[in-house]
């Protein structure tokens, strides 16, 4: 059972990090694309957001379930401060994803000015994802 949870955790990590990296690349390409192409490219990140949220949910739920097993508890005590730094990054990641969702809801209601936040939130999600991964590697090595 524990191995299945680790598998789900890693798939959640891959999806959760892969989507923000892809979205960042799409936005950079859209910035220099002709207007009609840029409009199509800019519609992609919103469609991929569900995958990213699903990956984050799988990551968090599987992580919590892994802690229910002896191996998971041993990893926490072995990882020490690095484990808790990872957890801080995960909490920051969840907050940033929530703010992205909130920003998109405001934009859908007709307030396009809020989209300026996305220039900060997208890279924040990517950075926090990478930090959480780095700290996890150090904690569980």
């Amino acid at each position: 059972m524990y191995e299945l949870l680790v598998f789900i955790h890693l798939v959640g990590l891959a999806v959760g990090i892969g989507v923000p990296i892809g979205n960042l690349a799409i936005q950079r390409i859209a910035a220099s694309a002709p207007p009609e192409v840029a409009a199509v490219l800019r519609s992609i990140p919103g469609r991929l957001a569900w995958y990213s949220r699903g990956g984050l949910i799988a990551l968090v739920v599987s992580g919590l379930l892994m802690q229910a097993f002896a191996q998971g508890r041993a990893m926490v005590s072995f990882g020490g401060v690095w484990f808790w730094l990872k957890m801080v990054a995960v909490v920051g990641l969840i907050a940033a994803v929530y703010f992205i969702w909130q920003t998109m809801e405001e934009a859908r209601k007709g307030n396009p000015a809020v989209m300026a936040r996305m220039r900060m939130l997208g890279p924040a999600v990517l950075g926090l994802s990478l930090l959480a991964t780095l700290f996890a590697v150090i904690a569980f090595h």
Side-chain angles (χ1 to χ4, degrees):
M1 178 66 165
Y2 186 79
E3 289 78 11
L4 177 62
L5 290 171
V6 171
F7 172 76
I8 292 168
H9 200 69
L10 291 174
V11 169
L13 174 68
V15 173
I17 292 178
V19 170
I21 290 171
N23 285 344
L24 186 62
I26 289 167
Q27 293 302 332
R28 290 187 185 221
I29 293 168
S32 62
E36 62 277 356
V37 174
V40 172
L41 288 172
R42 288 190 178 107
S43 72
I44 295 171
R47 294 175 182 175
L48 293 178
W50 286 102
Y51 294 103
S52 184
R53 282 184 230 137
L56 184 59
I57 290 167
L59 191 66
V60 170
V61 170
S62 64
L64 291 172
L65 289 173
M66 284 191 300
Q67 295 307 311
F69 292 92
Q71 286 177 291
R73 288 191 296 277
M75 286 182 161
V76 173
S77 56
F78 176 71
V81 71
W82 294 107
F83 173 82
W84 294 108
L85 286 172
K86 176 193 80 84
M87 293 305 294
V88 168
V90 168
V91 169
L93 175 61
I94 291 168
V97 168
Y98 171 76
F99 288 130
I100 287 174
W101 173 80
Q102 187 180 44
T103 300
M104 294 306 294
E105 288 296 311
E106 288 181 42
R108 283 187 196 103
K109 291 178 183 173
N111 185 2
V114 298
M115 291 307 288
R117 281 188 231 156
M118 294 300 280
R119 287 187 204 98
M120 178 182 68
L121 290 171
V125 166
L126 178 59
L128 288 165
S129 297
L130 293 173
L131 272 176
T133 304
L134 173 67
F135 293 151
V137 168
I138 293 169
F140 302 137
H141 179 261

